[in-house]
Structures are given as C-alpha cells and as structure tokens.
Amino acid sequence: MTQLTSKVCVVGDFAVGKTSVVERFVTNHFSGKYLSTVGVKIDTKEIEQPAFGITHKLVVWDVAGSDSFGDREFAYLRGASGYIFVADGTRPLTFEAVETIQSQIGERFGAAPSVLLVNKRDLVAEWEVSDERFESIGASFNGAFRTSAKTGDDVDVAFARLAQLIVERELRGE
C-alpha cells in the first residue's frame, strides 16, 4: 500500500474543543481538564484508505485558539494540505471567529480542503446554534459536522472526510 503524509491544521477560537477533538481522533480518549494550547501541539495518526490503496498519515497541528490570526499563526499553517475548523455549538460567537480565520487563510494560502466541526454536541441543553445557522456556515466548507469530543460523535467521520478530500486533491495533482 502506498503511503501519503499530509499536514492538517486544526483552527478555531479559544476553548471550542480543538485539543479535545484531536485527542479523541488520535487516541480515542477524552479528558475533561481544560489546558490552553500555547503555540501549536503536533500529533500523528495513520488511517487506511483502501478505496485509494493508501495508508494516509495525518500530521495534525493543533494551533492555539484565536479569533483571528497573525504572522505566528500563519507560520504554523504553511504547507497545510487541509484544515479542520472548530466552533462551539454552545457559543455562537465562535462561528464568527471561524469565518474570520477561514477568510484570512483563503487570502493568504488559497483554497484547500476544509471541514467544519461544531463541537460540544453532547451539551444539548446549552446548544445555541440553529439548524439554519449550521447549514449557512457549513455551506462554505467541504463538510460540516455536529461533533462531541466527549462522546466521540462524528469526530472520526469528520477527519475521514477531510482525509478523503486531501487524497482526491493529491490524485488530481493539485
């Protein structure tokens, strides 16, 4: 089987669950302790993509939370094959941060495969994102998912979708 290695950057506002989503994906573990990421944290995970005959190594860069990016954050994003944008379903203002960051990345680096994770799906009583808002913002991504890092709901599905998009783009030679 052929091996492909891709850099994936996970971005979004403070405390939306980026690190928890990455931890759930990489180790299938969740910790309720909040630790703010300083700079960037890098993890890897290999996934099989039998439809393409590829073992896909994702190098996942968990970038410190921000509602907009400066030169340091852009340096972390250089060379990314795709992006996971994370918003918090209990905090609608985090959608604005995702839109700002998505626009900044597009202006700086051009288009790349990206998916949106609206995290904290397990907090149903506190959920503040309407279906209409989810659909409207989700339309500007290659997939939008209601996820829970705590329960694992749709986290692997979202990463698998992004990995598929990256492989398809590589095979097209883009």
Side-chain angles (χ1 to χ4, degrees):
M1 217 175 234
T2 305
Q3 172 131 4
L4 173 67
T5 300
S6 302
K7 177 179 178 179
V8 171
C9 292
V10 180
V11 296
D13 207 349
F14 297 98
V16 295
K18 294 178 302 299
T19 300
S20 295
V21 164
V22 171
E23 184 175 357
R24 173 60 74 180
F25 173 66
V26 173
T27 68
N28 197 28
H29 181 263
F30 175 80
S31 171
K33 296 179 184 176
Y34 177 72
L35 296 172
S36 183
T37 302
V38 177
V40 67
K41 182 177 179 291
I42 302 171
D43 286 294
T44 62
K45 181 172 180 176
E46 287 187 2
I47 59 174
E48 298 297 324
Q49 298 212 352
F52 300 108
I54 291 175
T55 299
H56 197 172
K57 181 178 182 179
L58 298 178
V59 181
V60 182
W61 289 51
D62 174 9
V63 179
S66 180
D67 58 359
S68 65
F69 281 174
D71 290 339
R72 181 179 5 176
E73 290 84 6
F74 283 122
Y76 296 141
L77 303 181
R78 191 166 288 113
S81 298
Y83 301 94
I84 299 272
F85 290 84
V86 184
D88 180 342
T90 69
R91 294 173 31 224
L93 288 178
T94 63
F95 278 65
E96 293 174 22
V98 162
E99 290 173 315
T100 298
I101 295 166
Q102 182 188 37
S103 175
Q104 289 180 312
I105 290 171
E107 289 171 13
R108 190 78 164 255
F109 299 113
S114 63
V115 296
L116 171 66
L117 281 63
V118 181
N119 198 35
K120 303 187 184 178
R121 177 177 171 181
D122 55 289
L123 300 176
V124 177
E126 299 170 39
W127 196 263
E128 293 188 25
V129 178
S130 68
D131 289 342
E132 294 79 20
R133 180 70 172 131
F134 177 81
E135 295 299 326
S136 73
I137 191 170
S140 64
F141 294 89
N142 302 112
F145 303 86
R146 292 175 179 91
T147 62
S148 170
K150 184 174 187 177
T151 66
D153 289 349
D154 282 344
V155 172
D156 285 349
V157 172
F159 274 88
R161 173 66 177 145
L162 181 63
Q164 174 192 357
L165 293 164
I166 291 169
V167 171
E168 289 171 352
R169 186 176 190 195
E170 289 287 325
L171 292 175
R172 288 191 310 266
E174 295 177 15

